[in-house]
């Protein structure tokens, strides 16, 4: 795999794309005069476009997905073999890969016991929301229906998950939204001044940020609040890790007010932070865990909603009631390619010690980013966990005024010109789309990490002088 192709002329592909493809997250007006980019091949950490240009991918497929890298023949073969045996049957019945992967997954998640297969992270989160609502009607007279979500967090692109979306630019023009979704403040210590907590830091700030959740519960009425949905590390809202003291207090609050804790691991799950799941970095004991992207590293579509036996038992406690079960189905939750790919994906992570590599390379990359912060005053903060990192760009370190988002995008474009693909917060927060995002595959080497940060170093110098 060296960027050469059997078919040299891809102009017809480019024109077909220009004429018929509606790309994600992109304004298409420029494609009237410029060619859309076609990614043609991938191997390891690198991809090639239609012009044969090689790029080091520091965002794992653009949206934090290809955790074990491109070109894994063993995963492709596992999917092929399974499809030839049985491609699909609705999950009203079981399948061999579905059962086997569920057992492997639960083995990595002490305290959890049941896996519900879906086809996307948005859908997985909706399943948990529906369960919370059904529990409210089954157990609480229909009152405990409110679901709390956090400012800056993202849980999906359906109307229900957008109702729980803490990124206002993503939500703009798509309302009205579903009722009984209530926002709680973010826990970002770097911007604690926005919360009026400038005098607190570290664990004291973490506890205070969690206390703000309790204030919302008390304001809404504890008898009306059914669940709290949080990302273990906020992703598209700026790559935010909660400070010490936060998660312990969050769990105390949930237990105190009988609120189910839903952890959205769509980005962090299956190794991204250096543990199997991001919540395991913080000692969290969730009631629901949702996951998607890294579950099969993009080799097949699969997402999971995982819950406890306690939650599961609530849906079979009265067999005389014809409505007393989870009356839901996900069509493509019955595809067998997803769990077949996920089994091999998990084996690769274990056999190649990619969790350990993620931790080691994450530490190296964090060190490199901290060095960039010392060199470039425009870098106001660097943060994250494992190989899930962000660098926030500011016009003024003392006021923490964000740079104009066009300048942050110019850094991304400069890196792309150098052959390195990085990300940036995109249509998330008004005036706050200023964080560079990094999520290289868990197979990254020291040379890969250095190449990524060297590209950012050069881009910062050119864009900001």
């Amino acid at each position: 795999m060296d960027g050469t192709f059997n078919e040299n002329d891809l102009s017809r592909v480019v024109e077909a794309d220009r004429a018929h493809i509606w790309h994600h997250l992109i304004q298409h007006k420029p494609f009237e005069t410029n060619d859309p980019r076609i990614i043609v091949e991938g191997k390891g950490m690198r991809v090639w476009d239609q012009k044969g240009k090689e790029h080091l991918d520091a965002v794992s497929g653009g949206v934090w997905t290809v955790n074990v890298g491109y070109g894994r023949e063993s995963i492709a073969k596992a999917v092929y073999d399974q499809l030839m045996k049985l491609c699909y049957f609705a999950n009203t019945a079981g399948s061999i890969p579905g059962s086997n992967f569920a057992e492997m997954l639960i083995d990595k998640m002490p305290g959890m016991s049941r896996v519900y297969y879906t086809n996307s992270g948005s859908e997985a989160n909706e399943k948990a929301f529906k369960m919370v609502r059904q529990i409210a009607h089954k157990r609480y007279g229909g009152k405990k229906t409110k679901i709390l979500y956090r400012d800056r967090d993202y849980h999906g692109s359906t109307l229900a998950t957008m109702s729980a979306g803490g990124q206002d630019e993503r939500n703009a023009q798509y309302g009205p939204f579903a009722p009984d979704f209530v926002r709680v403040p973010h826990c970002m210590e770097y911007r604690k001044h926005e919360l009026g907590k400038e005098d607190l830091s570290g664990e004291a700030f973490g506890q205070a940020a969690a206390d703000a959740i309790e204030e919302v519960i008390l304001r809404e009425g504890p008898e009306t609040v059914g669940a709290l949905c949080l990302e273990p590390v906020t992703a598209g809202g700026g790559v935010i890790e909660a400070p010490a003291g936060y998660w312990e207090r969050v769990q105390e609050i949930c237990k105190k007010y009988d609120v189910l804790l839903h952890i959205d691991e769509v980005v962090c799950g299956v190794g991204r932070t250096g543990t199997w799941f991001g919540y395991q970095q913080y000692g969290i004991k969730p009631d629901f865990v949702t996951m998607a992207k890294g579950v099969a590293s993009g080799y097949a579509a699969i997402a999971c909603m995982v819950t406890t036996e306690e939650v599961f038992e609530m849906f079979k406690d009265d067999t005389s009631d014809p409505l007393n079960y989870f009356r839901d189905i996900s069509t493509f939750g019955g595809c067998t390619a997803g769990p077949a790919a996920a089994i091999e994906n998990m084996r690769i992570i274990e056999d190649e010690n990619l969790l350990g590599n993620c931790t080691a390379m994450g530490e190296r990359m964090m060190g490199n980013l901290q060095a960039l912060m010392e060199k470039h005053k425009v870098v106001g903060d660097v943060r994250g966990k494992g190989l899930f990192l962000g660098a926030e760009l500011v016009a003024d370190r003392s006021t923490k005024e964000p740079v104009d988002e066009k300048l942050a995008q110019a850094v991304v474009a400069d890196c792309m010109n150098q052959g390195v693909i990085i990300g940036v917060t995109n249509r998330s927060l008004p005036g706050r789309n200023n964080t560079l995002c990094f999520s290289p595959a868990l197979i990254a080497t020291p040379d890969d990490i250095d190449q990524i940060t060297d590209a950012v170093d050069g881009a910062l110098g050119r864009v900001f002088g």
Side-chain angles (χ1 to χ4, degrees):
M1 189 75 63
D2 58 3
T4 59
F5 314 117
N6 294 328
E7 184 178 356
N8 292 323
D9 184 6
L10 294 179
S11 60
R12 65 177 184 80
V13 175
V14 173
E15 290 310 312
D17 184 287
R18 193 199 315 274
H20 303 297
I21 297 296
W22 196 328
H23 289 277
H24 305 175
L25 291 174
I26 291 176
Q27 167 57 258
H28 283 62
K29 188 67 174 177
F31 293 156
E32 293 179 2
T33 54
N34 297 289
D35 288 347
R37 178 176 283 108
I38 311 293
I39 301 298
V40 178
E41 298 186 55
K43 182 68 174 178
M45 290 277 293
R46 285 157 177 80
V47 296
W48 288 264
D49 66 18
Q50 75 266 32
K51 297 178 181 178
K53 183 175 179 178
E54 177 182 320
H55 295 84
L56 173 58
D57 179 7
V59 280
S60 294
V63 287
W64 315 316
T65 299
V66 189
N67 283 7
V68 300
Y70 299 96
R72 291 284 188 168
E73 185 176 0
S74 64
I75 302 182
K77 186 177 186 302
V79 170
Y80 172 84
D81 290 345
Q82 178 56 49
L83 292 180
M84 292 304 297
K85 188 171 186 177
L86 177 70
C87 65
Y88 175 88
F89 197 89
N91 216 25
T92 52
S95 72
I96 291 174
S99 298
N100 287 342
F101 179 63
E103 184 176 47
M104 291 175 67
L105 182 61
I106 292 302
D107 185 59
K108 305 288 190 270
M109 305 176 72
M112 312 304 287
S113 71
R114 296 283 173 168
V115 179
Y116 191 100
Y117 287 117
T118 72
N119 75 297
S120 73
S122 298
E123 192 185 15
N125 284 326
E126 281 216 24
K127 302 309 180 189
F129 294 166
K130 288 176 70 175
M131 288 182 180
V132 170
R133 293 285 172 87
Q134 192 170 348
I135 290 169
H137 287 281
K138 285 166 49 61
R139 293 291 180 92
Y140 302 102
K143 293 182 179 180
K144 221 167 170 57
T145 57
K146 292 178 182 175
I147 296 170
L148 307 185
Y149 65 94
R150 189 170 56 194
D151 185 33
R152 288 180 171 256
D153 279 9
Y154 173 79
H155 302 297
S157 58
T158 64
L159 283 175
T161 54
M162 290 179 75
S163 301
Q167 299 176 11
D168 292 338
E169 283 196 342
R170 288 193 183 275
N171 287 5
Q173 303 175 357
Y174 296 122
F177 297 108
D180 281 4
F181 288 90
V182 182
R183 186 176 299 195
V184 302
H186 67 73
C187 61
M188 186 179 185
E189 188 167 5
Y190 182 66
R191 295 201 166 276
K192 61 187 178 182
H193 60 285
E194 297 175 352
L195 305 176
K197 302 185 186 300
E198 299 93 329
D199 56 331
L200 300 176
S201 60
E203 188 169 345
F205 171 75
Q207 292 178 346
D211 287 341
I213 297 173
E214 182 175 35
E215 293 171 9
V216 173
I217 292 173
L218 292 173
R219 182 193 73 205
E220 296 293 324
E223 73 282 359
T224 71
V225 178
L228 170 64
C229 182
L230 302 171
E231 291 183 272
V233 178
T234 296
V239 191
I240 303 162
E241 184 183 16
Y246 182 80
W247 288 109
E248 296 88 344
R249 182 72 182 116
V250 164
Q251 293 199 127
E252 289 176 3
I253 292 166
C254 288
K255 185 175 181 180
K256 180 177 180 180
Y257 297 107
D258 191 20
V259 172
L260 295 169
L261 182 56
H262 171 180
I263 300 297
D264 178 348
E265 292 271 356
V266 170
V267 173
C268 294
V270 195
R272 174 56 55 193
T273 67
T275 47
W276 283 109
F277 294 93
Y279 76 85
Q280 294 168 343
Q281 298 275 3
Y282 310 106
I284 304 167
K285 296 180 180 179
D287 298 290
F288 301 98
V289 178
T290 48
M291 64 195 76
K293 299 177 185 293
V295 175
S297 289
Y299 284 81
I302 181 175
C304 308
M305 194 289 304
V306 181
T307 190
T308 64
E309 199 68 11
E310 289 78 9
V311 169
F312 179 72
E313 287 291 332
M314 295 184 197
F315 291 86
K316 61 171 191 171
D317 56 353
D318 183 2
T319 56
S320 66
D321 180 357
L323 299 183
N324 192 42
Y325 63 96
F326 190 47
R327 304 178 312 282
D328 181 277
I329 189 169
S330 169
T331 297
F332 293 113
C335 286
T336 60
I343 289 169
E344 183 61 14
N345 183 70
M346 185 169 279
R347 183 200 65 75
I348 289 169
I349 293 173
E350 289 188 305
D351 288 357
E352 298 182 12
N353 189 29
L354 295 187
L355 298 183
N357 190 65
C358 178
T359 298
M361 293 302 100
E363 290 172 355
R364 184 184 188 93
M365 190 165 190
M366 177 61 80
N368 288 4
L369 291 174
Q370 289 170 340
L372 291 183
M373 185 165 64
E374 293 179 10
K375 180 177 180 180
H376 299 276
K377 64 181 182 180
V378 71
V379 181
D381 190 36
V382 295
R383 51 186 182 256
K385 199 77 172 177
L387 283 173
F388 184 29
L389 300 166
E392 181 164 350
L393 306 183
V394 294
D396 186 307
R397 280 188 176 178
S398 60
T399 65
K400 301 180 181 178
E401 175 191 352
V403 300
D404 187 295
E405 65 179 49
K406 291 182 180 179
L407 294 175
Q409 292 165 1
V411 173
V412 176
D414 188 290
C415 288
M416 180 70 78
N417 288 336
Q418 297 178 68
V420 174
I421 305 172
I422 69 169
V424 65
T425 44
N426 180 26
R427 295 284 69 78
S428 298
L429 308 158
R432 294 288 188 272
N433 296 310
N434 63 315
T435 301
L436 304 179
C437 302
F438 308 94
S439 55
L442 311 187
I443 63 172
T445 66
D447 286 345
D448 294 328
I449 297 300
D450 293 347
Q451 185 179 342
I452 294 165
T453 51
D454 285 348
V456 175
D457 184 14
L460 292 173
R462 281 182 286 275
V463 172
F464 296 100

